[in-house]
Amino acid sequence: MNEIKNRICVYQGNIVKLGTDAIVNAANTSLLGGGGVDGAIHAAAGPELLEECRGLHGCRVGQAKLTKGYRLPAPYIIHTVGPIWQGGGQQEAELLASCYRSSMEIAAEKRLSSIAFPAISTGVYGYPRQEAARIAIHTVAEALQQHSGIKKVYLVAWDKETALLYQSLLEQL
Ligand code: ADP
């Protein structure tokens, strides 16, 4: 597990600043832009991103789609759609894990070596932070075992609370 641990890092700040091979967007099913991290990514990438997204015809919850990064430092964006928290009985955990897994699969297929994730579903979609962080760490760790070409995964926290959660869960791996 030590080797896996060393391939995961926690970063607190704005995901649009990261120059990883891909950053992940917590999008909605339309893929046509929204608030939160989605709004920040579209604003930083520029209008060409929306143009490309229009051609993708949306994305299902738990799945992911790739675009270019345009004006971002990251050359690619992987757009994934997290579940809206509805109390936990609507397969939210499975769907959230699927977002991380699908994004890692796309990164591996594209032979990308670094990827950065926001805390999917924990903003407007209301997923409890602790449970979402646990799913993020465990799913990423499992996917790293399968995809040896992915050398670094950044778990990006906007707030201090999430950064500390990630850090302590990572230490427990
Ligand atoms: P969702 O609809 O999936 O809940 P949000 O964008 O509302 O998506 O929030 C997802 C997470 O991303 C939240 O934890 C939020 O604090 C965080 N976030 C918002 N803006 C940024 C940003 N620019 N960089 C990194 N994380 C961000």
Side-chain angles (χ1 to χ4, degrees), residues 11 13-17 25-28 34-41 80-84 117-127 129 156-159 162 166:
Y11 172 87
N14 193 343
I15 198 167
V16 304
K17 305 282 181 208
N25 182 17
N28 57 47
V37 73
D38 196 0
I41 289 173
T80 188
V81 183
I84 297 173
F117 284 95
I120 301 164
S121 285
T122 65
V124 175
Y125 282 4
Y127 211 108
R129 276 171 194 280
V156 179
W158 186 239
D159 54 287
T162 304
Y166 278 152

PDB file of all heavy atoms in Angstrom, residues 11 13-17 25-28 34-41 80-84 117-127 129 156-159 162 166, ligand 1:
ATOM      1  N   TYR A  11      -4.124  18.356  -2.372  1.00  0.00           N
ATOM      2  CA  TYR A  11      -3.810  19.748  -2.710  1.00  0.00           C
ATOM      3  C   TYR A  11      -5.002  20.598  -2.321  1.00  0.00           C
ATOM      4  O   TYR A  11      -6.139  20.263  -2.660  1.00  0.00           O
ATOM      5  CB  TYR A  11      -3.533  19.845  -4.213  1.00  0.00           C
ATOM      6  CG  TYR A  11      -3.376  21.249  -4.728  1.00  0.00           C
ATOM      7  CD1 TYR A  11      -2.142  21.901  -4.700  1.00  0.00           C
ATOM      8  CD2 TYR A  11      -4.468  21.944  -5.264  1.00  0.00           C
ATOM      9  CE1 TYR A  11      -1.997  23.195  -5.185  1.00  0.00           C
ATOM     10  CE2 TYR A  11      -4.334  23.240  -5.753  1.00  0.00           C
ATOM     11  CZ  TYR A  11      -3.100  23.858  -5.713  1.00  0.00           C
ATOM     12  OH  TYR A  11      -2.965  25.135  -6.195  1.00  0.00           O
ATOM     13  N   GLY A  13      -6.793  24.095  -2.911  1.00  0.00           N
ATOM     14  CA  GLY A  13      -6.778  25.279  -3.763  1.00  0.00           C
ATOM     15  C   GLY A  13      -7.645  25.099  -4.987  1.00  0.00           C
ATOM     16  O   GLY A  13      -8.514  24.223  -5.022  1.00  0.00           O
ATOM     17  N   ASN A  14      -7.367  25.949  -5.991  1.00  0.00           N
ATOM     18  CA  ASN A  14      -8.193  25.993  -7.197  1.00  0.00           C
ATOM     19  C   ASN A  14      -7.684  24.986  -8.228  1.00  0.00           C
ATOM     20  O   ASN A  14      -6.559  25.092  -8.711  1.00  0.00           O
ATOM     21  CB  ASN A  14      -8.124  27.410  -7.762  1.00  0.00           C
ATOM     22  CG  ASN A  14      -9.179  27.654  -8.818  1.00  0.00           C
ATOM     23  OD1 ASN A  14      -9.754  26.719  -9.361  1.00  0.00           O
ATOM     24  ND2 ASN A  14      -9.420  28.911  -9.107  1.00  0.00           N
ATOM     25  N   ILE A  15      -8.534  24.058  -8.596  1.00  0.00           N
ATOM     26  CA  ILE A  15      -8.127  22.974  -9.507  1.00  0.00           C
ATOM     27  C   ILE A  15      -7.721  23.496 -10.879  1.00  0.00           C
ATOM     28  O   ILE A  15      -6.896  22.883 -11.560  1.00  0.00           O
ATOM     29  CB  ILE A  15      -9.246  21.903  -9.601  1.00  0.00           C
ATOM     30  CG1 ILE A  15      -8.699  20.581 -10.157  1.00  0.00           C
ATOM     31  CG2 ILE A  15     -10.426  22.408 -10.429  1.00  0.00           C
ATOM     32  CD1 ILE A  15      -9.636  19.406  -9.983  1.00  0.00           C
ATOM     33  N   VAL A  16      -8.261  24.648 -11.286  1.00  0.00           N
ATOM     34  CA  VAL A  16      -7.944  25.158 -12.638  1.00  0.00           C
ATOM     35  C   VAL A  16      -6.479  25.570 -12.775  1.00  0.00           C
ATOM     36  O   VAL A  16      -5.975  25.724 -13.878  1.00  0.00           O
ATOM     37  CB  VAL A  16      -8.854  26.340 -13.086  1.00  0.00           C
ATOM     38  CG1 VAL A  16     -10.324  25.948 -13.003  1.00  0.00           C
ATOM     39  CG2 VAL A  16      -8.579  27.602 -12.301  1.00  0.00           C
ATOM     40  N   LYS A  17      -5.795  25.732 -11.656  1.00  0.00           N
ATOM     41  CA  LYS A  17      -4.386  26.145 -11.694  1.00  0.00           C
ATOM     42  C   LYS A  17      -3.445  24.980 -11.957  1.00  0.00           C
ATOM     43  O   LYS A  17      -2.255  25.188 -12.222  1.00  0.00           O
ATOM     44  CB  LYS A  17      -3.969  26.756 -10.332  1.00  0.00           C
ATOM     45  CG  LYS A  17      -4.843  27.890  -9.866  1.00  0.00           C
ATOM     46  CD  LYS A  17      -4.495  29.155 -10.601  1.00  0.00           C
ATOM     47  CE  LYS A  17      -5.344  30.331 -10.126  1.00  0.00           C
ATOM     48  NZ  LYS A  17      -5.526  31.333 -11.185  1.00  0.00           N
ATOM     49  N   ASN A  25     -13.689  17.401 -14.016  1.00  0.00           N
ATOM     50  CA  ASN A  25     -14.753  18.365 -13.757  1.00  0.00           C
ATOM     51  C   ASN A  25     -15.942  17.642 -13.138  1.00  0.00           C
ATOM     52  O   ASN A  25     -16.363  16.602 -13.643  1.00  0.00           O
ATOM     53  CB  ASN A  25     -15.170  19.023 -15.086  1.00  0.00           C
ATOM     54  CG  ASN A  25     -16.250  20.073 -14.896  1.00  0.00           C
ATOM     55  OD1 ASN A  25     -16.473  20.530 -13.780  1.00  0.00           O
ATOM     56  ND2 ASN A  25     -16.907  20.446 -15.976  1.00  0.00           N
ATOM     57  N   ALA A  26     -16.478  18.199 -12.051  1.00  0.00           N
ATOM     58  CA  ALA A  26     -17.732  17.681 -11.476  1.00  0.00           C
ATOM     59  C   ALA A  26     -18.864  18.394 -12.203  1.00  0.00           C
ATOM     60  O   ALA A  26     -19.311  19.465 -11.800  1.00  0.00           O
ATOM     61  CB  ALA A  26     -17.775  17.964  -9.973  1.00  0.00           C
ATOM     62  N   ALA A  27     -19.274  17.797 -13.324  1.00  0.00           N
ATOM     63  CA  ALA A  27     -20.234  18.433 -14.233  1.00  0.00           C
ATOM     64  C   ALA A  27     -21.662  17.996 -13.907  1.00  0.00           C
ATOM     65  O   ALA A  27     -21.895  17.232 -12.967  1.00  0.00           O
ATOM     66  CB  ALA A  27     -19.868  18.051 -15.667  1.00  0.00           C
ATOM     67  N   ASN A  28     -22.605  18.481 -14.693  1.00  0.00           N
ATOM     68  CA  ASN A  28     -23.983  17.956 -14.598  1.00  0.00           C
ATOM     69  C   ASN A  28     -24.288  17.197 -15.893  1.00  0.00           C
ATOM     70  O   ASN A  28     -23.489  17.224 -16.829  1.00  0.00           O
ATOM     71  CB  ASN A  28     -24.991  19.076 -14.319  1.00  0.00           C
ATOM     72  CG  ASN A  28     -24.934  20.165 -15.367  1.00  0.00           C
ATOM     73  OD1 ASN A  28     -24.912  19.884 -16.570  1.00  0.00           O
ATOM     74  ND2 ASN A  28     -24.895  21.414 -14.931  1.00  0.00           N
ATOM     75  N   GLY A  34     -22.151  24.847 -15.389  1.00  0.00           N
ATOM     76  CA  GLY A  34     -22.958  25.049 -14.185  1.00  0.00           C
ATOM     77  C   GLY A  34     -22.205  25.963 -13.254  1.00  0.00           C
ATOM     78  O   GLY A  34     -21.369  26.758 -13.694  1.00  0.00           O
ATOM     79  N   GLY A  35     -22.461  25.817 -11.959  1.00  0.00           N
ATOM     80  CA  GLY A  35     -21.758  26.653 -10.981  1.00  0.00           C
ATOM     81  C   GLY A  35     -20.579  25.892 -10.412  1.00  0.00           C
ATOM     82  O   GLY A  35     -20.100  24.925 -11.012  1.00  0.00           O
ATOM     83  N   GLY A  36     -20.101  26.322  -9.257  1.00  0.00           N
ATOM     84  CA  GLY A  36     -19.040  25.613  -8.531  1.00  0.00           C
ATOM     85  C   GLY A  36     -17.812  25.365  -9.387  1.00  0.00           C
ATOM     86  O   GLY A  36     -17.383  26.232 -10.169  1.00  0.00           O
ATOM     87  N   VAL A  37     -17.269  24.174  -9.264  1.00  0.00           N
ATOM     88  CA  VAL A  37     -16.037  23.852  -9.960  1.00  0.00           C
ATOM     89  C   VAL A  37     -16.263  23.843 -11.482  1.00  0.00           C
ATOM     90  O   VAL A  37     -15.382  24.239 -12.257  1.00  0.00           O
ATOM     91  CB  VAL A  37     -15.439  22.532  -9.411  1.00  0.00           C
ATOM     92  CG1 VAL A  37     -16.209  21.321  -9.851  1.00  0.00           C
ATOM     93  CG2 VAL A  37     -13.981  22.403  -9.774  1.00  0.00           C
ATOM     94  N   ASP A  38     -17.427  23.440 -11.908  1.00  0.00           N
ATOM     95  CA  ASP A  38     -17.790  23.420 -13.335  1.00  0.00           C
ATOM     96  C   ASP A  38     -17.701  24.841 -13.918  1.00  0.00           C
ATOM     97  O   ASP A  38     -17.081  25.062 -14.971  1.00  0.00           O
ATOM     98  CB  ASP A  38     -19.227  22.877 -13.442  1.00  0.00           C
ATOM     99  CG  ASP A  38     -19.603  22.437 -14.846  1.00  0.00           C
ATOM    100  OD1 ASP A  38     -18.762  22.543 -15.754  1.00  0.00           O
ATOM    101  OD2 ASP A  38     -20.751  21.982 -15.023  1.00  0.00           O
ATOM    102  N   GLY A  39     -18.285  25.801 -13.225  1.00  0.00           N
ATOM    103  CA  GLY A  39     -18.244  27.193 -13.667  1.00  0.00           C
ATOM    104  C   GLY A  39     -16.813  27.706 -13.734  1.00  0.00           C
ATOM    105  O   GLY A  39     -16.418  28.384 -14.690  1.00  0.00           O
ATOM    106  N   ALA A  40     -16.020  27.360 -12.717  1.00  0.00           N
ATOM    107  CA  ALA A  40     -14.622  27.818 -12.662  1.00  0.00           C
ATOM    108  C   ALA A  40     -13.824  27.227 -13.830  1.00  0.00           C
ATOM    109  O   ALA A  40     -13.008  27.915 -14.450  1.00  0.00           O
ATOM    110  CB  ALA A  40     -13.991  27.422 -11.326  1.00  0.00           C
ATOM    111  N   ILE A  41     -14.071  25.964 -14.153  1.00  0.00           N
ATOM    112  CA  ILE A  41     -13.342  25.308 -15.246  1.00  0.00           C
ATOM    113  C   ILE A  41     -13.729  25.914 -16.595  1.00  0.00           C
ATOM    114  O   ILE A  41     -12.864  26.239 -17.416  1.00  0.00           O
ATOM    115  CB  ILE A  41     -13.554  23.770 -15.213  1.00  0.00           C
ATOM    116  CG1 ILE A  41     -12.797  23.182 -14.009  1.00  0.00           C
ATOM    117  CG2 ILE A  41     -13.107  23.119 -16.519  1.00  0.00           C
ATOM    118  CD1 ILE A  41     -13.046  21.707 -13.734  1.00  0.00           C
ATOM    119  N   THR A  80     -17.093  14.363 -15.405  1.00  0.00           N
ATOM    120  CA  THR A  80     -17.863  13.261 -14.826  1.00  0.00           C
ATOM    121  C   THR A  80     -19.050  13.848 -14.079  1.00  0.00           C
ATOM    122  O   THR A  80     -19.029  15.013 -13.680  1.00  0.00           O
ATOM    123  CB  THR A  80     -16.977  12.378 -13.913  1.00  0.00           C
ATOM    124  OG1 THR A  80     -17.717  11.204 -13.524  1.00  0.00           O
ATOM    125  CG2 THR A  80     -16.532  13.102 -12.646  1.00  0.00           C
ATOM    126  N   VAL A  81     -20.106  13.042 -13.938  1.00  0.00           N
ATOM    127  CA  VAL A  81     -21.321  13.545 -13.296  1.00  0.00           C
ATOM    128  C   VAL A  81     -21.571  12.764 -12.014  1.00  0.00           C
ATOM    129  O   VAL A  81     -21.842  11.562 -12.056  1.00  0.00           O
ATOM    130  CB  VAL A  81     -22.542  13.421 -14.238  1.00  0.00           C
ATOM    131  CG1 VAL A  81     -23.776  14.026 -13.584  1.00  0.00           C
ATOM    132  CG2 VAL A  81     -22.255  14.088 -15.576  1.00  0.00           C
ATOM    133  N   GLY A  82     -21.433  13.440 -10.893  1.00  0.00           N
ATOM    134  CA  GLY A  82     -21.650  12.811  -9.596  1.00  0.00           C
ATOM    135  C   GLY A  82     -23.146  12.687  -9.296  1.00  0.00           C
ATOM    136  O   GLY A  82     -23.976  13.366  -9.904  1.00  0.00           O
ATOM    137  N   PRO A  83     -23.486  11.798  -8.361  1.00  0.00           N
ATOM    138  CA  PRO A  83     -24.886  11.655  -7.949  1.00  0.00           C
ATOM    139  C   PRO A  83     -25.313  12.804  -7.040  1.00  0.00           C
ATOM    140  O   PRO A  83     -24.492  13.328  -6.282  1.00  0.00           O
ATOM    141  CB  PRO A  83     -24.881  10.340  -7.168  1.00  0.00           C
ATOM    142  CG  PRO A  83     -23.501  10.268  -6.583  1.00  0.00           C
ATOM    143  CD  PRO A  83     -22.587  10.899  -7.608  1.00  0.00           C
ATOM    144  N   ILE A  84     -26.570  13.161  -7.119  1.00  0.00           N
ATOM    145  CA  ILE A  84     -27.147  14.111  -6.160  1.00  0.00           C
ATOM    146  C   ILE A  84     -27.477  13.303  -4.903  1.00  0.00           C
ATOM    147  O   ILE A  84     -28.078  12.219  -5.006  1.00  0.00           O
ATOM    148  CB  ILE A  84     -28.423  14.765  -6.733  1.00  0.00           C
ATOM    149  CG1 ILE A  84     -28.075  15.581  -7.987  1.00  0.00           C
ATOM    150  CG2 ILE A  84     -29.119  15.628  -5.682  1.00  0.00           C
ATOM    151  CD1 ILE A  84     -29.274  16.125  -8.738  1.00  0.00           C
ATOM    152  N   PHE A 117      -8.524  15.462  -9.165  1.00  0.00           N
ATOM    153  CA  PHE A 117      -9.970  15.355  -8.919  1.00  0.00           C
ATOM    154  C   PHE A 117     -10.457  16.416  -7.929  1.00  0.00           C
ATOM    155  O   PHE A 117      -9.860  16.561  -6.857  1.00  0.00           O
ATOM    156  CB  PHE A 117     -10.298  14.019  -8.242  1.00  0.00           C
ATOM    157  CG  PHE A 117     -10.287  12.824  -9.130  1.00  0.00           C
ATOM    158  CD1 PHE A 117      -9.144  12.037  -9.218  1.00  0.00           C
ATOM    159  CD2 PHE A 117     -11.414  12.452  -9.852  1.00  0.00           C
ATOM    160  CE1 PHE A 117      -9.129  10.898 -10.023  1.00  0.00           C
ATOM    161  CE2 PHE A 117     -11.412  11.313 -10.655  1.00  0.00           C
ATOM    162  CZ  PHE A 117     -10.272  10.537 -10.740  1.00  0.00           C
ATOM    163  N   PRO A 118     -11.576  17.060  -8.205  1.00  0.00           N
ATOM    164  CA  PRO A 118     -12.232  17.849  -7.150  1.00  0.00           C
ATOM    165  C   PRO A 118     -13.026  16.881  -6.274  1.00  0.00           C
ATOM    166  O   PRO A 118     -13.131  15.695  -6.608  1.00  0.00           O
ATOM    167  CB  PRO A 118     -13.179  18.755  -7.941  1.00  0.00           C
ATOM    168  CG  PRO A 118     -13.594  17.911  -9.107  1.00  0.00           C
ATOM    169  CD  PRO A 118     -12.388  17.034  -9.446  1.00  0.00           C
ATOM    170  N   ALA A 119     -13.575  17.370  -5.173  1.00  0.00           N
ATOM    171  CA  ALA A 119     -14.398  16.517  -4.299  1.00  0.00           C
ATOM    172  C   ALA A 119     -15.807  16.420  -4.913  1.00  0.00           C
ATOM    173  O   ALA A 119     -16.722  17.163  -4.545  1.00  0.00           O
ATOM    174  CB  ALA A 119     -14.442  17.092  -2.894  1.00  0.00           C
ATOM    175  N   ILE A 120     -15.930  15.493  -5.859  1.00  0.00           N
ATOM    176  CA  ILE A 120     -17.157  15.327  -6.649  1.00  0.00           C
ATOM    177  C   ILE A 120     -18.395  15.164  -5.742  1.00  0.00           C
ATOM    178  O   ILE A 120     -18.338  14.429  -4.745  1.00  0.00           O
ATOM    179  CB  ILE A 120     -17.015  14.088  -7.573  1.00  0.00           C
ATOM    180  CG1 ILE A 120     -15.821  14.242  -8.497  1.00  0.00           C
ATOM    181  CG2 ILE A 120     -18.298  13.838  -8.375  1.00  0.00           C
ATOM    182  CD1 ILE A 120     -15.370  12.922  -9.157  1.00  0.00           C
ATOM    183  N   SER A 121     -19.454  15.861  -6.107  1.00  0.00           N
ATOM    184  CA  SER A 121     -20.780  15.784  -5.441  1.00  0.00           C
ATOM    185  C   SER A 121     -20.864  16.455  -4.072  1.00  0.00           C
ATOM    186  O   SER A 121     -21.945  16.480  -3.482  1.00  0.00           O
ATOM    187  CB  SER A 121     -21.288  14.332  -5.292  1.00  0.00           C
ATOM    188  OG  SER A 121     -21.741  13.820  -6.527  1.00  0.00           O
ATOM    189  N   THR A 122     -19.749  16.987  -3.557  1.00  0.00           N
ATOM    190  CA  THR A 122     -19.811  17.506  -2.173  1.00  0.00           C
ATOM    191  C   THR A 122     -20.199  18.984  -2.092  1.00  0.00           C
ATOM    192  O   THR A 122     -20.235  19.553  -1.003  1.00  0.00           O
ATOM    193  CB  THR A 122     -18.469  17.327  -1.430  1.00  0.00           C
ATOM    194  OG1 THR A 122     -17.474  18.139  -2.064  1.00  0.00           O
ATOM    195  CG2 THR A 122     -18.023  15.884  -1.418  1.00  0.00           C
ATOM    196  N   GLY A 123     -20.470  19.610  -3.246  1.00  0.00           N
ATOM    197  CA  GLY A 123     -20.908  21.003  -3.231  1.00  0.00           C
ATOM    198  C   GLY A 123     -22.417  21.063  -3.293  1.00  0.00           C
ATOM    199  O   GLY A 123     -23.106  20.576  -2.389  1.00  0.00           O
ATOM    200  N   VAL A 124     -22.911  21.610  -4.401  1.00  0.00           N
ATOM    201  CA  VAL A 124     -24.360  21.755  -4.608  1.00  0.00           C
ATOM    202  C   VAL A 124     -25.079  20.399  -4.513  1.00  0.00           C
ATOM    203  O   VAL A 124     -26.226  20.337  -4.060  1.00  0.00           O
ATOM    204  CB  VAL A 124     -24.613  22.393  -5.997  1.00  0.00           C
ATOM    205  CG1 VAL A 124     -26.085  22.449  -6.329  1.00  0.00           C
ATOM    206  CG2 VAL A 124     -24.014  23.787  -6.039  1.00  0.00           C
ATOM    207  N   TYR A 125     -24.417  19.316  -4.910  1.00  0.00           N
ATOM    208  CA  TYR A 125     -25.068  17.996  -4.906  1.00  0.00           C
ATOM    209  C   TYR A 125     -25.189  17.371  -3.512  1.00  0.00           C
ATOM    210  O   TYR A 125     -25.806  16.315  -3.356  1.00  0.00           O
ATOM    211  CB  TYR A 125     -24.364  17.046  -5.878  1.00  0.00           C
ATOM    212  CG  TYR A 125     -24.727  17.283  -7.333  1.00  0.00           C
ATOM    213  CD1 TYR A 125     -25.559  18.330  -7.711  1.00  0.00           C
ATOM    214  CD2 TYR A 125     -24.251  16.451  -8.347  1.00  0.00           C
ATOM    215  CE1 TYR A 125     -25.893  18.550  -9.039  1.00  0.00           C
ATOM    216  CE2 TYR A 125     -24.592  16.660  -9.681  1.00  0.00           C
ATOM    217  CZ  TYR A 125     -25.411  17.715 -10.020  1.00  0.00           C
ATOM    218  OH  TYR A 125     -25.744  17.917 -11.342  1.00  0.00           O
ATOM    219  N   GLY A 126     -24.590  18.008  -2.509  1.00  0.00           N
ATOM    220  CA  GLY A 126     -24.907  17.691  -1.111  1.00  0.00           C
ATOM    221  C   GLY A 126     -24.409  16.385  -0.518  1.00  0.00           C
ATOM    222  O   GLY A 126     -24.888  15.960   0.552  1.00  0.00           O
ATOM    223  N   TYR A 127     -23.452  15.712  -1.168  1.00  0.00           N
ATOM    224  CA  TYR A 127     -22.950  14.437  -0.623  1.00  0.00           C
ATOM    225  C   TYR A 127     -22.194  14.710   0.675  1.00  0.00           C
ATOM    226  O   TYR A 127     -21.362  15.604   0.728  1.00  0.00           O
ATOM    227  CB  TYR A 127     -21.995  13.780  -1.630  1.00  0.00           C
ATOM    228  CG  TYR A 127     -22.005  12.281  -1.566  1.00  0.00           C
ATOM    229  CD1 TYR A 127     -22.585  11.525  -2.579  1.00  0.00           C
ATOM    230  CD2 TYR A 127     -21.441  11.606  -0.487  1.00  0.00           C
ATOM    231  CE1 TYR A 127     -22.599  10.136  -2.526  1.00  0.00           C
ATOM    232  CE2 TYR A 127     -21.446  10.220  -0.423  1.00  0.00           C
ATOM    233  CZ  TYR A 127     -22.034   9.496  -1.449  1.00  0.00           C
ATOM    234  OH  TYR A 127     -22.054   8.121  -1.393  1.00  0.00           O
ATOM    235  N   ARG A 129     -19.450  15.067   3.274  1.00  0.00           N
ATOM    236  CA  ARG A 129     -18.025  15.188   2.959  1.00  0.00           C
ATOM    237  C   ARG A 129     -17.186  13.999   3.368  1.00  0.00           C
ATOM    238  O   ARG A 129     -16.319  13.554   2.629  1.00  0.00           O
ATOM    239  CB  ARG A 129     -17.449  16.428   3.646  1.00  0.00           C
ATOM    240  CG  ARG A 129     -17.681  17.632   2.849  1.00  0.00           C
ATOM    241  CD  ARG A 129     -17.329  18.920   3.543  1.00  0.00           C
ATOM    242  NE  ARG A 129     -17.945  19.951   2.727  1.00  0.00           N
ATOM    243  CZ  ARG A 129     -17.424  20.411   1.597  1.00  0.00           C
ATOM    244  NH1 ARG A 129     -16.256  19.994   1.187  1.00  0.00           N
ATOM    245  NH2 ARG A 129     -18.068  21.302   0.878  1.00  0.00           N
ATOM    246  N   VAL A 156      -8.060  17.231  -4.872  1.00  0.00           N
ATOM    247  CA  VAL A 156      -8.079  18.676  -4.653  1.00  0.00           C
ATOM    248  C   VAL A 156      -9.237  19.052  -3.732  1.00  0.00           C
ATOM    249  O   VAL A 156     -10.392  18.705  -3.993  1.00  0.00           O
ATOM    250  CB  VAL A 156      -8.209  19.427  -5.998  1.00  0.00           C
ATOM    251  CG1 VAL A 156      -8.242  20.931  -5.767  1.00  0.00           C
ATOM    252  CG2 VAL A 156      -7.055  19.047  -6.923  1.00  0.00           C
ATOM    253  N   ALA A 157      -8.885  19.732  -2.660  1.00  0.00           N
ATOM    254  CA  ALA A 157      -9.888  20.209  -1.704  1.00  0.00           C
ATOM    255  C   ALA A 157      -9.954  21.731  -1.826  1.00  0.00           C
ATOM    256  O   ALA A 157      -8.924  22.393  -1.916  1.00  0.00           O
ATOM    257  CB  ALA A 157      -9.487  19.824  -0.290  1.00  0.00           C
ATOM    258  N   TRP A 158     -11.139  22.240  -1.853  1.00  0.00           N
ATOM    259  CA  TRP A 158     -11.321  23.692  -1.917  1.00  0.00           C
ATOM    260  C   TRP A 158     -11.187  24.270  -0.508  1.00  0.00           C
ATOM    261  O   TRP A 158     -10.642  25.334  -0.310  1.00  0.00           O
ATOM    262  CB  TRP A 158     -12.698  23.967  -2.509  1.00  0.00           C
ATOM    263  CG  TRP A 158     -13.053  25.378  -2.789  1.00  0.00           C
ATOM    264  CD1 TRP A 158     -14.118  26.071  -2.272  1.00  0.00           C
ATOM    265  CD2 TRP A 158     -12.400  26.280  -3.696  1.00  0.00           C
ATOM    266  NE1 TRP A 158     -14.142  27.338  -2.791  1.00  0.00           N
ATOM    267  CE2 TRP A 158     -13.094  27.492  -3.662  1.00  0.00           C
ATOM    268  CE3 TRP A 158     -11.263  26.173  -4.513  1.00  0.00           C
ATOM    269  CZ2 TRP A 158     -12.720  28.600  -4.420  1.00  0.00           C
ATOM    270  CZ3 TRP A 158     -10.896  27.267  -5.261  1.00  0.00           C
ATOM    271  CH2 TRP A 158     -11.610  28.464  -5.207  1.00  0.00           C
ATOM    272  N   ASP A 159     -11.681  23.539   0.451  1.00  0.00           N
ATOM    273  CA  ASP A 159     -11.700  24.013   1.843  1.00  0.00           C
ATOM    274  C   ASP A 159     -10.758  23.182   2.706  1.00  0.00           C
ATOM    275  O   ASP A 159     -10.426  22.041   2.386  1.00  0.00           O
ATOM    276  CB  ASP A 159     -13.134  23.924   2.399  1.00  0.00           C
ATOM    277  CG  ASP A 159     -13.702  22.541   2.232  1.00  0.00           C
ATOM    278  OD1 ASP A 159     -14.038  22.150   1.092  1.00  0.00           O
ATOM    279  OD2 ASP A 159     -13.781  21.799   3.227  1.00  0.00           O
ATOM    280  N   THR A 162     -12.005  19.608   4.092  1.00  0.00           N
ATOM    281  CA  THR A 162     -11.874  18.481   3.161  1.00  0.00           C
ATOM    282  C   THR A 162     -10.411  18.070   3.015  1.00  0.00           C
ATOM    283  O   THR A 162     -10.097  16.877   2.959  1.00  0.00           O
ATOM    284  CB  THR A 162     -12.500  18.840   1.798  1.00  0.00           C
ATOM    285  OG1 THR A 162     -13.856  19.220   2.015  1.00  0.00           O
ATOM    286  CG2 THR A 162     -12.454  17.689   0.821  1.00  0.00           C
ATOM    287  N   TYR A 166      -9.018  14.294   3.761  1.00  0.00           N
ATOM    288  CA  TYR A 166      -8.238  13.509   2.799  1.00  0.00           C
ATOM    289  C   TYR A 166      -6.914  13.078   3.416  1.00  0.00           C
ATOM    290  O   TYR A 166      -6.511  11.928   3.289  1.00  0.00           O
ATOM    291  CB  TYR A 166      -7.929  14.344   1.562  1.00  0.00           C
ATOM    292  CG  TYR A 166      -9.031  14.433   0.528  1.00  0.00           C
ATOM    293  CD1 TYR A 166      -9.135  15.548  -0.306  1.00  0.00           C
ATOM    294  CD2 TYR A 166      -9.945  13.401   0.346  1.00  0.00           C
ATOM    295  CE1 TYR A 166     -10.115  15.646  -1.274  1.00  0.00           C
ATOM    296  CE2 TYR A 166     -10.935  13.494  -0.624  1.00  0.00           C
ATOM    297  CZ  TYR A 166     -11.010  14.622  -1.431  1.00  0.00           C
ATOM    298  OH  TYR A 166     -11.978  14.707  -2.385  1.00  0.00           O
TER     299      TYR A 166
HETATM  300  P1  ADP B   1     -21.236  19.092  -7.252  1.00  0.00           P
HETATM  301  O1  ADP B   1     -22.389  19.631  -8.041  1.00  0.00           O
HETATM  302  O2  ADP B   1     -20.677  17.809  -7.833  1.00  0.00           O
HETATM  303  O3  ADP B   1     -21.516  19.014  -5.795  1.00  0.00           O
HETATM  304  P2  ADP B   1     -19.664  21.551  -6.901  1.00  0.00           P
HETATM  305  O4  ADP B   1     -18.874  22.256  -7.971  1.00  0.00           O
HETATM  306  O5  ADP B   1     -20.826  22.267  -6.325  1.00  0.00           O
HETATM  307  O6  ADP B   1     -20.058  20.143  -7.543  1.00  0.00           O
HETATM  308  O7  ADP B   1     -18.695  21.142  -5.720  1.00  0.00           O
HETATM  309  C1  ADP B   1     -17.786  20.062  -5.757  1.00  0.00           C
HETATM  310  C2  ADP B   1     -16.620  20.369  -4.857  1.00  0.00           C
HETATM  311  O8  ADP B   1     -15.697  21.219  -5.552  1.00  0.00           O
HETATM  312  C3  ADP B   1     -16.975  21.112  -3.568  1.00  0.00           C
HETATM  313  O9  ADP B   1     -16.258  20.508  -2.502  1.00  0.00           O
HETATM  314  C4  ADP B   1     -16.494  22.527  -3.817  1.00  0.00           C
HETATM  315  O10 ADP B   1     -16.100  23.167  -2.608  1.00  0.00           O
HETATM  316  C5  ADP B   1     -15.301  22.284  -4.699  1.00  0.00           C
HETATM  317  N1  ADP B   1     -14.864  23.390  -5.573  1.00  0.00           N
HETATM  318  C6  ADP B   1     -15.583  24.453  -6.010  1.00  0.00           C
HETATM  319  N2  ADP B   1     -14.841  25.229  -6.816  1.00  0.00           N
HETATM  320  C7  ADP B   1     -13.598  24.641  -6.901  1.00  0.00           C
HETATM  321  C8  ADP B   1     -12.379  24.946  -7.570  1.00  0.00           C
HETATM  322  N3  ADP B   1     -12.269  26.026  -8.337  1.00  0.00           N
HETATM  323  N4  ADP B   1     -11.323  24.116  -7.402  1.00  0.00           N
HETATM  324  C9  ADP B   1     -11.421  22.997  -6.637  1.00  0.00           C
HETATM  325  N5  ADP B   1     -12.549  22.642  -5.984  1.00  0.00           N
HETATM  326  C10 ADP B   1     -13.623  23.451  -6.110  1.00  0.00           C
END
